[in-house]
Amino acid sequence: MSTLTKPRESEQAGTPAPVRRGVTAGSLAAGLPGAFRKLDPRLMVRTPVMFIVEAGAVLITAIAVAEPFLGGPADSGGTAVPGAFSWLIAGWLWATVIFANLAESVAEGRGKAQAASLRNSRATTTAYRVDGYDAARDPAALGAPVAEVPSADLALDDVVVVEAGQVIPGDGDIIDGIASVDESAITGESAPVVRESGGDRSAVTGGTRVLSDRIVVRITSRHGETFVDRMIRLVEGAARQKTPNEIALDILLATLSLVFIVVVLTLNPLAGYSSATVSIPVLVALLVCLIPTTIGALLSAIGIAGMDRLVQRNVLAMSGRAVEAAGDVTTLLLDKTGTITYGNRQAAGFIPINGTESTDLIDAAVLSSFGDPTPEGKSIVDLAAAKGCRPEPPAGSVSVPFTAQTRMSGMDFPDGAKIRKGASSAILDWTAESGGIDVDVLIAVEDRVKRISTGGGTPLLVAVRDADGGTRVLGVVHLKDVVKEGLKDRFAQLRAMGIRTVMITGDNPYTARAIAAEAGVDDFLAEATPEDKMALIRREQEGGHLVAMTGDGTNDAPALAQADVGVAMNTGTSAAKEAGNMVDLDSDPTKLIDIVGIGKQLLITRGALTTFSIANDIAKYFAIIPAMFVGVFPGLSALNLMQLHSPASAILSAVIFNAVIIVALIPLALRGVKYRAAGSSSILSRNLLVYGVGGVIAPFIGIKAIDLLISLLPGF
């Protein structure tokens, strides 16, 4: 037990070092040990296509070892092959397996580098736990000392005190106080952020540092595990599971492989009718070139790289399925404040009503804003100061604070007079308490309120109640919510992608309609409650749409959990972060648009490389099939379109190309196919043209080039 003192730290929290993302010779070399470790059959069986290749490599290696004792290599379709043929086939089959493992190993290595950077940023801290915490009393005045415990010993719902300069020992919610927090260890951003109790910015992350003041935190993590620990585990890939589409594609590839196994096994009996035999090394080479090894080798790397691209943008996906779902999103729900607009409405003007002097309205608006700490209230004081108005309240005046319940702020004067400023409905209700206002004035007020609202602004009424009880509306303060630049173009891109955008706001329908039109969204939901958000998401999903949304508050948690892609802000509450399947460490709601793009890039990359893989098999057929039987059926030489040197060189060239193309495509698999906003039919046409036609042409060129080199070897 001890009194509050600065904790001892074994490491200082800091900004993670940047992780290089390019595929270089060094990254390939670093991935080789992992590629060899993955040769374990227990690991290889998870990728059926490459497991078949490994089994073939083992078989051909055994045959190559046994050939000297069996009288040398067998003929292939009546055509002799070089003595080293089996060894060459075996070597390149092993290379194919290793290259496939290398793609996954490099992808995982990038995640591990990011994880190592995060691990270095963690701090081992002493926690200052308050036992028997009483929310009604200041922890420093408890009288009893505060217990020093290791952060790893903290349990769920423990309460700790963290002062300036100390590291927050675990994930939690602030239950008392406000502080400036350095989150650079998590987000990489050097600018501190403000965290405070009682709002949507109350969540804090273990390992971040308090820069000012003092906060009381209730721990929300179990067994000392922090959000950073979960990040490390996820980016390392330990918790990554295959997505449904990956599983379906694995099943398709496995099925194709089984079909081709049956086809290859029947070739020798069929060739026997012509008194010819096909050697096992040639049959295995044919099988490996027939099955879609390219996409089988790169499939896992594509999925890992998709999650890694999100990590690069400081978005943590809790599962690969969430990234994939982002690519299929058809409805995007975006909160207005902070996403579509800059968030803080600013006072743009003072509009007197009923003959009120402009200075009287401004003075009343400023005095009633002294109890309004919101950005809107501060902007009113700033605008008035810019106009030269700086009124001072009379001695004995009492500020009436703004609350969400009253939706008003104001000031009470010693003589009994009162000023109120707030939402139009709240002010009109307040005036009604003392008899209301003149009908003509009411019509003028409603007209001005409607004009401001339909123009996208927010009207605040300012009213005064005299000491004798009479009430007057002095005028309207015009607040403007500014739409972020460039959003209209981005929403147009989403529309071209077939994605419908819906703005969600608590504003009235007039304001919501004007902002929606200015921003260019397709639809809006005004005066939205948590129940309204849930109902909207369910309606969209029942219509066959996949829905994505952002949120940061506890009231957003149900909708985040219901959405197919729920992106929680790191600055938000623990409930929101637990409900979503992604967390944006930068707390930038507009990043949802980028997340959708990354998801689509993942799906397009997988589709493009699958197209390429199947297409390049066509060229390999023309290389191997004629070569296998040209000795028995000379007419097949007409199919030897590439005019390869010999059957042996043709078969070996196809096997070598099959291995080398995997390495050549690793950078593309990790970087992803460049995504351009377009319709699905346009994207499909482009992929067929680039990767379909390219997948046919590239092997013709590559196999022919390799054949020319092999023809220089003795025996070929």
Side-chain angles (χ1 to χ4, degrees):
M1 306 289 284
S2 71
T3 57
L4 292 178
T5 57
K6 187 175 181 178
R8 294 181 298 271
E9 299 153 14
S10 62
E11 294 183 51
Q12 298 294 318
T15 304
V19 179
R20 293 186 64 182
R21 299 290 172 185
V23 179
T24 62
S27 62
L28 291 174
L32 276 176
F36 280 100
R37 285 193 295 270
K38 290 178 181 292
L39 291 175
D40 185 338
R42 292 170 297 181
L43 301 177
M44 292 298 302
V45 76
R46 300 174 186 172
T47 310
V49 174
M50 301 316 300
F51 180 73
I52 292 172
V53 179
E54 184 178 43
V58 171
L59 176 61
I60 304 305
T61 302
I63 290 174
V65 172
E67 277 178 349
F69 307 100
L70 299 176
D75 290 348
S76 174
T79 302
V81 296
F85 182 76
S86 296
W87 280 112
L88 290 170
I89 292 294
W92 281 104
L93 290 184
W94 282 115
T96 303
V97 179
I98 292 170
F99 292 162
N101 290 346
L102 182 62
E104 185 175 1
S105 183
V106 171
E108 290 177 349
R110 292 171 12 150
K112 290 177 180 177
Q114 179 74 23
S117 178
L118 289 168
R119 188 176 288 109
N120 291 335
S121 74
R122 290 187 305 176
T124 301
T125 66
T126 296
Y128 291 80
R129 188 179 65 200
V130 182
D131 296 320
Y133 172 72
D134 183 355
R137 298 166 58 193
D138 189 309
L142 287 175
V146 177
E148 287 188 21
V149 297
S151 58
D153 291 348
L154 291 174
L156 184 68
D157 292 329
D158 277 352
V159 175
V160 297
V161 177
V162 190
E163 295 191 340
Q166 297 177 357
V167 173
I168 298 171
D171 295 351
D173 290 324
I174 300 176
I175 56 177
D176 184 64
I178 181 173
S180 177
V181 179
D182 176 10
E183 295 187 344
S184 60
I186 309 301
T187 66
E189 297 293 333
S190 58
V193 294
V194 175
R195 297 286 176 263
E196 59 183 317
S197 61
D200 289 342
R201 294 179 177 269
S202 60
V204 289
T205 304
T208 58
R209 185 183 298 278
V210 173
L211 299 180
S212 67
D213 304 291
R214 183 190 63 187
I215 52 177
V216 181
V217 178
R218 189 181 302 279
I219 299 298
T220 58
S221 55
R222 293 175 173 84
H223 308 301
E225 183 184 59
T226 68
F227 183 67
V228 176
D229 294 313
R230 294 198 297 276
M231 284 177 62
I232 291 170
R233 192 173 67 249
L234 285 167
V235 299
E236 282 183 322
R240 181 185 178 273
Q241 296 180 345
K242 289 190 175 182
T243 66
N245 278 347
E246 280 183 290
I247 294 172
L249 188 52
D250 266 338
I251 293 173
L252 174 63
L253 297 181
T255 303
L256 288 174
S257 300
L258 289 174
V259 169
F260 285 123
I261 288 174
V262 173
V263 170
V264 169
L265 289 176
T266 61
L267 285 178
N268 241 341
L270 290 174
Y273 287 106
S274 301
S275 301
T277 59
V278 182
S279 68
I280 292 177
V282 173
L283 287 175
V284 172
L286 173 64
L287 175 62
V288 170
C289 291
L290 283 175
I291 62 178
T293 51
T294 306
I295 186 60
L298 298 173
L299 182 59
S300 180
I302 293 170
I304 296 172
M307 295 183 70
D308 183 65
R309 281 193 290 275
L310 279 178
V311 172
Q312 293 177 41
R313 289 166 175 79
N314 268 359
V315 177
L316 180 65
M318 302 303 179
S319 69
R321 184 172 186 172
V323 186
E324 189 171 272
D328 285 328
V329 161
T330 54
T331 302
L332 207 57
L333 306 185
L334 302 116
D335 185 54
K336 175 183 76 72
T337 305
T339 305
I340 292 175
T341 65
Y342 283 104
N344 295 335
R345 294 171 296 178
Q346 302 293 313
F350 301 97
I351 305 169
I353 290 178
N354 196 28
T356 302
E357 292 291 334
S358 178
T359 53
D360 292 341
L361 170 62
I362 295 174
D363 286 349
V366 172
L367 292 173
S368 60
S369 296
F370 284 170
D372 183 2
T374 65
E376 292 86 352
K378 294 176 181 178
S379 74
I380 291 173
V381 176
D382 292 340
L383 180 61
K387 293 178 177 293
C389 296
R390 295 181 175 85
E392 293 291 335
S397 299
V398 178
S399 290
V400 177
F402 171 86
T403 66
Q405 289 74 29
T406 64
R407 295 185 297 159
M408 296 187 300
S409 62
M411 181 169 286
D412 294 344
F413 299 103
D415 61 0
K418 303 176 185 292
I419 295 175
R420 294 292 185 270
K421 176 214 71 194
S424 58
S425 58
I427 294 298
L428 291 177
D429 289 344
W430 184 72
T431 60
E433 295 174 2
S434 58
I437 57 177
D438 184 77
V439 175
D440 292 336
V441 175
L442 179 61
I443 292 173
V445 168
E446 290 180 342
D447 177 69
R448 178 58 65 179
V449 167
K450 184 175 181 180
R451 285 163 59 186
I452 292 175
S453 298
T454 54
T458 301
L460 297 180
L461 294 186
V462 181
V464 59
R465 182 178 295 169
D466 298 327
D468 58 7
T471 305
R472 294 176 294 121
V473 174
L474 302 180
V476 182
V477 179
H478 181 188
L479 300 179
K480 291 185 67 175
D481 210 352
V482 182
V483 174
K484 294 180 178 179
E485 297 178 1
L487 277 187
K488 197 162 190 175
D489 292 337
R490 300 192 76 178
F491 290 145
Q493 293 174 359
L494 290 171
R495 196 173 297 111
M497 294 155 48
I499 297 176
R500 175 171 168 263
T501 53
V502 181
M503 181 185 77
I504 300 177
T505 177
D507 287 339
N508 62 70
Y510 294 116
T511 301
R513 183 175 292 106
I515 295 293
E518 185 179 353
V521 296
D522 299 311
D523 203 353
F524 66 89
L525 179 65
E527 298 177 340
T529 64
E531 292 77 15
D532 294 333
K533 297 176 187 177
M534 286 283 291
L536 174 59
I537 292 173
R538 285 172 177 159
R539 284 198 305 271
E540 292 289 331
Q541 291 172 332
E542 288 169 1
H545 300 287
L546 264 68
V547 181
M549 77 160 288
T550 62
D552 60 359
T554 300
N555 64 338
D556 292 323
L560 286 170
Q562 180 69 34
D564 300 285
V565 180
V567 184
M569 302 295 101
N570 191 43
T571 55
T573 62
S574 297
K577 289 196 284 188
E578 290 294 330
N581 49 24
M582 291 187 187
V583 177
D584 178 12
L585 303 180
D586 293 331
S587 300
D588 176 10
T590 60
K591 203 180 289 182
L592 184 57
I593 300 173
D594 296 324
I595 292 171
V596 170
I598 290 172
K600 287 190 174 294
Q601 186 183 34
L602 182 148
L603 296 178
I604 291 170
T605 301
R606 187 185 298 157
L609 292 181
T610 300
T611 302
F612 183 91
S613 178
I614 295 174
N616 76 41
D617 287 341
I618 297 173
K620 288 181 284 188
Y621 302 157
F622 282 100
I624 292 184
I625 298 296
M628 286 178 59
F629 297 104
V630 71
V632 178
F633 304 107
L636 287 176
S637 60
L639 296 178
N640 189 9
L641 301 181
M642 288 181 270
Q643 294 297 305
L644 301 178
H645 181 70
S646 68
S649 70
I651 294 168
L652 184 57
S653 297
V655 172
I656 293 174
F657 176 84
N658 195 62
V660 171
I661 195 64
I662 293 173
V663 178
L665 290 175
I666 289 177
L668 180 62
L670 299 185
R671 185 180 65 250
V673 175
K674 187 174 182 180
Y675 172 67
R676 296 182 179 87
S680 56
S681 60
S682 174
I683 293 173
L684 177 61
S685 299
R686 176 176 174 270
N687 279 351
L688 289 176
L689 178 63
V690 176
Y691 296 97
V693 176
V696 173
I697 295 174
F700 275 91
I701 298 173
I703 291 173
K704 180 61 178 179
I706 295 171
D707 179 74
L708 291 174
L709 294 175
I710 291 177
S711 65
L712 302 177
L713 298 176
F716 285 91

